[in-house]
Amino acid sequence: EVRAARARRTRTVDKHTESGERSRWLAYGVWDSTRLAWRARATRTPAGAASRSRAFREGTMGKGSNDATLLQSETMVRKVDSAASLEVLNNMNEAIVRRSQSQRIDDLQQLNRKGKFDGAIATFVQAFGGSKPITSILISNNGLAAVKFIRSVRGFSLKNLGDERAISLVAMATPEDMRVGAEHIRMADQIVEVPGGSNNNNYANVRLIVEVAQQQKVDAVWPGWGHASEYPDLPAALKAAGIVFLGPPSEPMAALGDKVGSTILAQAAKVPTLGWSGSNIAVSYEECNGVIPEDVYRKACISDGDEAAKICDQIGYPIMLKASWGGGGKGIRKVLDGKNVSNIFKQVQAEVPGSPIFAMKLAPRSRHLEVQLLADVHGNVCAVYSRDCSVQRRHQKIVEEGPVTVASQESLREMEIAACNLARSVGYVGAATVEYLYLLDTNEFCFLELNPRLQVEHPVTEWISGVNIPSCQVMIGMGIPLWRIPDIRRLYKKSVKEDTYFDLATEEKGGPSGHVVAVRITSEDAGDGFKPTSGSIDELSFRSTPDVWGYFSVKGGGGVHEYADSQFGHLFAKGETRTEAIKHMLVALADIKIRGEIRTTVDYLIDMLQCPGFVNNEVSTSWLDERIEAQVKPDAPVWYLAVIGACVCKAHQVLQGRMADFVSYLEKGQIPGRNTLLEAVHHTMVIEGVKYDAQVVKIGPQQYKVSLNGSSVNVVARALRDGGLLMQLDGNAHVVHAEEVAQGTRLLIGQKTCLIEKEMDPSKVVALTPGKLVRWLVEDNAHVEADEQYAEIEVMKMIMPLVSSAAGIISLEIAEGQQVAPGQLIARIKLDDESSIKIAEPFEGKFPMMGPPTIVGSSTDQKYNDSLQSLLLVLAGYEHSVEENISRLLSSIDDPELALRQWQQAISAIKA
C-alpha cells in the first residue's frame, strides 16, 4: 500500500504540475506550500515554461497580473534551494496521502448515505411538484450563518425525510475557524479546509467555492449572508457547472444587489424613494433586459468630491454618501454640511474601492422596516410579514423585532405589495429582504434597498410565522412551487395534505403569532463606542427556554478571530405582546455568562432594553448613535467593589507567584530570600480617571484585608476552577474575573465590568485591538489637534477612526495596509503642551462602613470559635488583633453558656 501510494502521488504531482490546475491542492488544503515547490520545479524545466508561467500567474496571482509581478515572483522562487523544495514536496505528498486515505473513507460514507436517502428525497420532490432532488449542499459561509443553516436543514430533514442527516451538508473551514473551534465545523457532515486570511481567500472567492463544490460533487451551494452571497459571478459560475445556487439568478442579483441599480428599478416599479442623486431616473427591468444602460446608470452616480458637494447642495443636508457595493456599515457616511463633503467622499471611496458612489437624503426621524420575501422559479412571490430593525449603530442592526407595530396595517400591506411587485418584475428567485425607511413625521415609506440574500435576523420572521426560511430556500432550489411548500400553506391557512393551487398575491395570510424581540451578541466594547474585539472565550453559558431561543457560532474554549464577523450570537425572545417579549429577553440576558479576552454587548443591552425610549417604542435609526455620542454607558460596579475586587485579584496573583518562587528555591536546595513570603501587596490603579492607592494584606488562607486612606475592610476570597475568585464582602458574595487587555485589566464582577487602566503615555499611540491600518488621514510630521481623526483602521470588517488624545506633531510608525497587533506602536506625538496632559486625580476618600465578609452569630459559642480561629491564624503567621481576640476568647470562656452550647452541638450530631 505504501509503494502504491507513492506511485499514485508521484503521478498526481506530475499531472497537476504539467496542467497548472490547483483545484486538487485547494481541496487538500496544501496549496500555499505546494505552489512554491511547483513554481521552483517549473522554472528549472525548459519545456513548457511559457504555459507554466501563464498558468502560475493566473492560478496564483489572478488574471491580469503584469510581467513585473511575475518576474518578481520568479526571482523570489529561484532563491529556494533544492533541499527546501524537496522538503516542501515531501510535506505536500504526505498531506496528499493522508488526505486520500481519509477521502476514500468519506467517499464510502457519502455513497452509503446517498444510497439510503436518495429515494426518499426524490419521492419528496416528486410529491410536492419539484423537479430537482438535492441530496448534498456546500455551505460557502461560516459563523452564525453556517450554524443556523445546518440547524434549519437538519430540522427539515428529520421532519420530512425521516433522518436529520438525509441531506448531506459540507462546510468550508479556514485555519482560523479550526483554531478557535468554530461551531459549524463540529456540526457539518463533511468539512473542506480552505486557505485562511481575509475572505477574498476563502468565503468570498468565487473560483474556490465552485472548485470545492465540484470536488465534493454537491448538488447545491448555499451562500448565507455576507462574503460572496451578493456576487453575481457565483450563481453564473455554478449554473455553468450544473450546480444549483440557493439564491437568485445572476441577472436579478446584479440588478437588485447594486444599490444604485435597485433604486432605479424601484422607481420604475413605482416604489416611493427618498431624494437622491438619481431621482427621476427610472428604467424597467424588461425595458433594459436586466442591464441598466451605462449612461443612465452614471447619471445617478457621483464621480468626484466637487460633484458630490454640488449634488449634496441640490438635495439638501443632511445627506448620506453611499457606496453602491457597500454593506455591513462599510461605504456609508453621514454629511451634515458642505464643509467636509470632499473628504467624506474620499473616505467612502477608500472603504469600498472601485464602487460607484451616490448621495441620498438622510431622514433622521425614521424607522428601518423590512419585508421578508420568498420567490420560486415559477414566478410566485409571497411576503412573510415584516420586521423593525431601527436600533442600529454605525448603520448596523443590533436589535430586531417583529411584527412591525409603528406603522398601520394599511401601510404594511402597501409595503408588502410594492416589495412583491419589485421582485416579480425582475424574475427574482429565493429569499430576499426589501428595506424601507418609514418617515415618522409623515407616516410615509420610502424604498431603501433590496438585499438579494437571506439576512441574519430572519429567525424573527420564522418565529412569528412558523416558516422555516432556509428549508424553503432548499425546496425552491428543488423546483417546488411556493404554494406547495407545507410551511407556506400553513401561513395562508391551507391544508398541508391538499395540493390545491391558490394565488399568493390575492390570498390573505393568517395573523402573526405573538411578538419577537431579537438582540445580536457581538464581540464589541459598548463602553468604547462599540469597538470590535477579538480573542478567546473561556466560558459561554446560555440555556434556551420556551420563551427564549438562541444560538452561537462558538462555544466555551473557542474564540472570535480577527477575520470573523463581530457577531457570534443571536438571542430571540417571544411573548404575547412586545412588553412581555422584552421582559423575557431581559431575564435571558441576565442569565447568560460570557467570559474571555473579548468584550461583549450583554451588559449594555440589559441597560438599553430597560431605558424609557426603547420600552415606549420611541426609537429611530439615529437613536442608538445618539446614545453612543452622549457616552451613555452600561452600569459599572460601584467604585469600592471595583477597587476591592481589583486588589484581591492582584494580591492573589502576586502571592501565588511568591509561593511558587519559594517552593522553587527549596527544590533547588537554595535558601529563599527573606521577602519571598511577604503577605502584603501594594496596588495602585486608575478607574475612570481616578487613582486609588491601596494596600492588601493576607490575614488567612482565604482572607484578605484591604486598606485605603486609613480605612479597611476584610474580604474572603476563594479560587474557582475557571480562574476566577468567589469574593465575600459585607455579607454578600461576588464572582470576580480579571482579564489582561492592551489598556490594562478588564474586571468582570457578576455581569458588570470595568477597566483597571494603565497610566498611558499620550505621546505614544498603540493599537488596542488587532486589525489593519487602512489609511492615514494626515501626512507624516503633520500637526494634529486633540480629538482629531488621523487614521482609519479596519477591525473585524469595520472601519474605525483613530482619534488623537492630545495636540502635537505626529510621526507615523507603520505603513498603510499593515496588520497591527494589540499594544503595537502606531505613531508618536510630540506634544504641544506636556502640562496639558490629563493626569489621574488621586482618590482621597475612604471605604464606606462595611460589616464582616461573612455573617458571624452573636451566641457565645460562635464568638468563641471566631476568636479562637483568629488567634490560631496569628500563631500561623498572619496578621490579626491579638488583644481584641484574646479578650473575646476569655469573655466567651467565662460565660457558663459556652459549655451548654458545645454539649448541644455534640448531642445534635449524635442524634442526627
Side-chain angles (χ1 to χ4, degrees), residues 175-450:
E176 292 83 9
D177 292 328
M178 304 286 280
R179 171 168 53 84
V180 300
E183 186 66 8
H184 75 282
I185 297 174
R186 310 179 192 211
M187 299 174 67
D189 295 305
Q190 175 66 290
I191 61 169
V192 179
E193 294 184 50
V194 294
S198 56
N199 67 351
N200 60 295
N201 297 318
N202 36 73
Y203 302 108
N205 189 317
V206 172
R207 182 178 176 182
L208 171 64
I209 294 170
V210 176
E211 288 176 343
V212 172
Q214 290 176 317
Q215 180 251 332
Q216 293 294 317
K217 297 180 175 59
V218 297
D219 298 318
V221 171
W222 185 79
W225 47 83
H227 298 310
S229 62
E230 296 184 54
Y231 290 0
D233 291 346
L234 182 57
L238 290 171
K239 182 179 179 182
I243 299 171
V244 176
F245 177 70
L246 299 181
S250 58
E251 295 83 4
M253 178 185 286
L256 294 178
D258 179 279
K259 292 179 173 59
V260 171
S262 65
T263 310
I264 291 174
L265 294 174
Q267 289 179 156
K270 306 302 181 184
V271 181
T273 60
L274 286 168
W276 68 298
S277 54
S279 294
N280 303 319
I281 299 175
V283 179
S284 68
Y285 189 81
E286 295 82 2
E287 183 182 347
C288 66
N289 198 25
V291 181
I292 299 173
E294 184 70 18
D295 59 331
V296 176
Y297 187 93
R298 286 297 169 191
K299 288 179 182 178
C301 302
I302 301 171
S303 59
D304 54 45
D306 293 336
E307 186 182 359
K310 181 180 177 181
I311 291 177
C312 289
D313 289 338
Q314 292 174 357
I315 298 173
Y317 298 95
I319 290 286
M320 296 300 294
L321 283 180
K322 297 183 177 183
S324 186
W325 304 342
K330 293 178 70 172
I332 179 169
R333 293 296 177 99
K334 184 190 300 183
V335 185
L336 299 177
D337 51 49
K339 296 178 182 178
N340 298 313
V341 177
S342 182
N343 288 336
I344 294 174
F345 179 84
K346 291 178 182 177
Q347 292 174 8
V348 175
Q349 272 186 322
E351 289 184 15
V352 190
S355 171
I357 297 173
F358 67 101
M360 181 172 280
K361 180 71 177 178
L362 174 65
R365 277 188 44 79
S366 61
R367 300 285 284 258
H368 180 114
L369 307 184
E370 300 177 347
V371 174
Q372 176 68 60
L373 295 182
L374 285 171
D376 63 23
V377 295
H378 308 285
N380 301 302
V381 183
C382 76
V384 191
Y385 300 132
S386 55
R387 299 186 291 262
D388 189 334
C389 306
S390 302
V391 181
Q392 307 175 1
R393 80 278 185 262
R394 295 190 300 271
H395 313 290
Q396 285 192 301
K397 305 157 192 172
I398 193 169
V399 175
E400 307 99 355
E401 54 183 299
V404 171
T405 57
V406 71
S408 65
Q409 290 301 314
E410 292 77 14
S411 295
L412 291 175
R413 182 61 180 162
E414 291 177 13
M415 292 164 63
E416 290 182 356
I417 292 173
C420 290
N421 289 340
L422 179 59
R424 198 178 291 112
S425 70
V426 300
Y428 192 88
V429 176
T433 302
V434 178
E435 299 183 352
Y436 296 98
L437 282 180
Y438 185 77
L439 309 181
L440 296 173
D441 294 331
T442 61
N443 294 329
E444 297 174 325
F445 65 89
C446 298
F447 176 81
L448 189 59
E449 63 179 298
L450 184 148

Side-chain angles (χ1 to χ4, degrees), residues 153-167:
V153 173
R154 291 268 169 82
F156 160 77
S157 298
L158 181 61
K159 188 175 182 180
N160 295 280
L161 303 172
D163 191 293
E164 65 173 7
R165 294 181 181 267
I167 297 178

